[in-house]
């Protein structure tokens, strides 16, 4: 599991470790890790021109000490101070190693090191820092710990901020590294281990070994009913294709049986494409909503009447008005969630973590907020971030496949939080596999799911 800790948690862990180490030892570890990452990013040190944008805190000290190491290896390292003070010992180390303090941006720069503010900084940039960044607009940027100006604990970017190509962070990931829009500003993220003793984190991201552990696997004496039966209420005369795609996600092999209930037009297409799918009956989980159009309210009522865990997607989301007796997984995109909580879509896109958590509490349900970094929020504050997937996944019908897949995992026995987060991870991984770097359609994602599962198995 990749954990994303808050500033308070990191500061507490650092303080505990500092009490056991000689003065300067922790900063030395961070600086060494940053210097190594910069050498790797630059493809060497000798002859490279490095510009440090240095703020007043320990973040600036990390950069100055790393700059000293690069200068000793033959790099030209310049430090531009963007505040009225800087880390004195770090400055002394840099100049002793041959680095310089400059008053303006040099003509040629190979990389900019953003050390303006660290995890304790407020969102937004000072005019001086913004002016320096504007002067090196087309130069690659490596951020120290987090891109300056982002909100570290929320992943929001309410003001001007750095957009990094690489972020080198220390001790643990922070929320801003995983949650958009700040995660987009981080670029690639490289973690330097400092040996911190950290508590559990409310925000995390599944890794392949976590998904492997959670995946339902048939028992030797299992049969189709013990593996779980998932029901799908999707599609309509207007949108029969949504039924096909939702069933394709549900029929990916992770549950023992799929039952379909829907319009005659959609049912004919579903049974032609998936002859293994049967009609209505008892199920362990329902998926309801994709393409249900004007039938959405009735479809939702029919699913909830069984009292089993239910995935509510697309058209059916508009008919969820509050908590219900069944365990729910709600799967809105930003526009749908905005309508559900009564705000503008832009507010959800600017603060996805806050709104996903609020919706989970409001509806007493797991809320999966779709996006580049999909968020799965549970009542109580726990959130998992999906880091798999490719931009090509933004294609019509992909959400229908996802809803069916989550339903299958629910029917197979996973709880709603695990089913939603594992389903989202598999969905993104299948899209990556199917894409191969090129365009895909939703059916390609469903078809790739069995291969993704095979690759995860030992």
């Amino acid at each position: 599991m990749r954990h994303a800790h808050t500033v308070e948690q990191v500061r507490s862990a650092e303080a505990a470790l500092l009490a056991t180490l000689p003065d300067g030892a922790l900063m030395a570890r961070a600086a060494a890790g940053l210097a190594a990452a910069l050498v790797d990013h630059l493809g060497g040190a000798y002859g490279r021109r490095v510009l440090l944008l240095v703020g007043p805190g320990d973040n600036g000290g990390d950069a100055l000490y790393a700059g000293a190491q690069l200068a000793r290896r033959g790099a030209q390292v310049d430090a531009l101070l963007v505040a009225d003070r800087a880390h004195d010992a770090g400055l002394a180390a840099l100049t002793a190693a041959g680095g310089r303090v400059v008053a303006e941006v040099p003509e040629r720069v190979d990389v900019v090191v953003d050390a303006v503010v660290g995890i304790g900084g407020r969102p937004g940039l000072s005019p001086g820092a913004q002016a320096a960044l504007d002067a090196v607009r087309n130069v690659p940027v490596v951020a120290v710990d987090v891109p300056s100006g982002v909100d570290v604990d929320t992943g929001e970017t309410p003001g001007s901020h750095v957009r990094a190509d690489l972020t080198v962070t220390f001790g643990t990931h922070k929320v801003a590294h995983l949650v958009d829009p700040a995660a987009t500003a981080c670029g690639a993220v490289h973690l330097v281990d400092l040996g911190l003793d950290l508590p559990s984190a409310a925000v995390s991201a599944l890794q392949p070994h976590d998904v492997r552990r959670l995946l339902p696997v048939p028992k030797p004496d299992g049969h189709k009913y013990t593996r779980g039966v998932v029901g799908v209420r999707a599609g309509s005369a207007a949108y029969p294709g949504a039924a096909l795609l939702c069933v394709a996600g549900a029929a990916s092999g992770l549950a023992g049986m799929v039952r379909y209930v829907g319009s005659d037009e959609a049912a004919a297409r579903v049974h032609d494409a998936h002859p293994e799918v049967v009609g209505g009956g008892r199920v362990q989980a329902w998926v309801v909503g994709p393409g249900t159009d004007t039938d959405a309210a009735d479809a939702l009522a029919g699913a909830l009447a069984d009292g089993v865990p239910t995935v509510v997607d697309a058209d059916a989301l508009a008919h969820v008005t509050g908590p219900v007796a069944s365990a729910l997984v709600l799967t809105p995109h930003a526009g749908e969630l905005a309508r559900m909580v009564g705000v503008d879509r832009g507010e959800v896109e600017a603060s996805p973590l806050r709104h996903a958590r609020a919706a989970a509490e409001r509806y007493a349900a797991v809320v999966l907020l779709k996006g580049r970094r999909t968020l799965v929020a549970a009542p109580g504050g726990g959130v998992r971030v999906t880091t798999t997937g490719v931009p090509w996944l933004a294609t019509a019908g992909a959400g229908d496949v996802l809803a069916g897949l989550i339903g299958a995992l629910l029917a197979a026995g996973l709880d709603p939080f695990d089913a939603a987060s594992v389903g989202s991870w598999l969905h993104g991984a299948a899209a990556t596999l199917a894409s191969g770097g090129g365009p895909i359609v939703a059916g390609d994602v469903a078809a790739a799911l069995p291969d993704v599962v095979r690759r995860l198995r030992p």
Side-chain angles (χ1 to χ4, degrees):
M1 194 84 71
R2 181 176 296 168
H3 297 284
H5 290 86
T6 65
V7 172
E8 182 179 356
Q9 289 175 318
V10 173
R11 291 294 194 219
S12 178
E14 287 178 343
L17 182 58
L18 281 168
T20 69
L21 296 174
D23 287 347
L26 193 60
M27 184 170 285
R29 290 183 188 178
L34 175 59
L38 284 164
V39 170
D40 185 63
H41 181 73
L42 290 165
Y46 188 81
R48 307 304 197 273
R49 296 176 183 243
V50 180
L51 175 64
L52 311 177
L53 299 183
V54 180
D58 287 348
N59 179 264
D62 295 336
L64 290 165
Y65 278 116
Q69 295 184 37
L70 295 177
R72 287 194 292 269
R73 296 180 62 173
Q76 178 178 313
V77 183
D78 296 326
L80 178 62
L81 309 186
V82 297
D84 56 4
R85 59 188 175 85
H87 192 280
D88 291 335
L91 275 175
L94 177 67
T95 54
R100 307 180 305 173
V101 176
V102 297
E104 58 184 24
V105 173
E107 286 189 12
R108 181 190 152 198
V109 178
D110 294 322
V111 69
V112 174
V113 178
D114 161 34
V116 177
V117 293
I119 62 174
R122 296 179 180 177
L125 296 172
S126 68
Q130 186 62 64
L133 286 163
D134 289 343
V136 288
R137 189 177 298 276
N138 297 317
V139 180
V141 175
V142 174
V144 181
D145 221 354
V146 290
S148 295
V150 306
D151 191 311
V152 181
D153 281 348
T154 68
E156 298 172 14
T157 55
S160 57
H161 61 278
V162 169
R163 294 184 180 276
D165 299 276
L166 169 69
T167 296
V168 181
T169 195
F170 310 113
T172 181
H173 290 86
K174 288 76 180 179
V175 175
H177 298 135
L178 295 183
V179 175
D180 279 338
T184 303
C186 291
V189 178
H190 173 73
L191 177 64
V192 176
D193 184 18
L194 298 181
L196 301 180
D197 184 12
L198 290 154
S200 60
V203 177
S204 61
L206 294 178
Q207 302 301 294
H209 64 274
D210 301 308
V211 178
R212 183 183 306 117
R213 173 178 55 84
L214 290 168
L215 269 175
V217 177
K219 295 180 180 179
D221 60 348
H223 51 77
K224 62 187 176 184
Y225 295 113
T226 59
R227 292 191 57 210
V229 180
V230 56
V232 174
R233 294 176 180 264
S236 61
Y239 304 107
L244 267 179
L245 292 168
C246 189
V247 167
S252 52
L254 292 170
M257 179 186 289
V258 179
R259 296 185 182 275
Y260 176 74
V261 176
S263 71
D264 292 341
E265 294 89 346
R269 293 184 61 175
V270 164
H271 293 301
D272 283 345
H274 299 279
E276 73 278 9
V277 173
V278 299
R282 293 184 61 184
V283 300
Q284 278 72 59
W286 278 107
V287 183
V288 58
T292 46
D293 197 26
T294 57
D295 300 330
D298 289 341
L300 178 62
L304 296 181
D306 282 350
V308 298
T310 301
V311 181
V312 184
D313 186 48
D315 299 323
L317 289 166
H319 302 282
V320 179
T321 57
V324 299
S326 300
L328 299 186
V329 177
L330 310 179
T331 58
H333 56 58
E336 290 165 336
L337 186 61
R339 290 191 290 273
M340 293 171 70
V341 299
V343 301
D344 292 335
R345 179 178 184 138
E347 291 184 48
V348 174
E349 292 174 334
S351 308
L353 179 61
R354 177 160 57 88
H355 284 96
R357 278 177 161 161
E361 296 302 325
R362 176 172 177 171
Y363 293 97
V366 170
V367 173
L368 182 150
L369 175 56
K370 301 169 189 173
R372 186 191 80 98
R373 290 285 174 90
T374 290
L375 303 180
V376 179
V383 176
R384 286 181 182 155
V385 186
T386 302
T387 56
T388 57
V390 289
W392 297 109
L393 184 52
T395 186
D400 303 338
V401 173
L402 175 61
L405 171 60
I406 296 170
L409 292 167
L410 278 176
L414 295 191
D415 67 46
F417 189 51
D418 285 342
S421 49
V422 169
S424 182
W425 192 98
L426 291 172
H427 187 250
T432 302
L433 179 63
S435 167
I440 52 175
V441 294
D444 298 334
V445 179
L449 285 168
D451 200 17
V452 168
V453 173
R454 278 191 289 271
R455 293 178 183 220
L456 277 174
R457 299 300 304 155

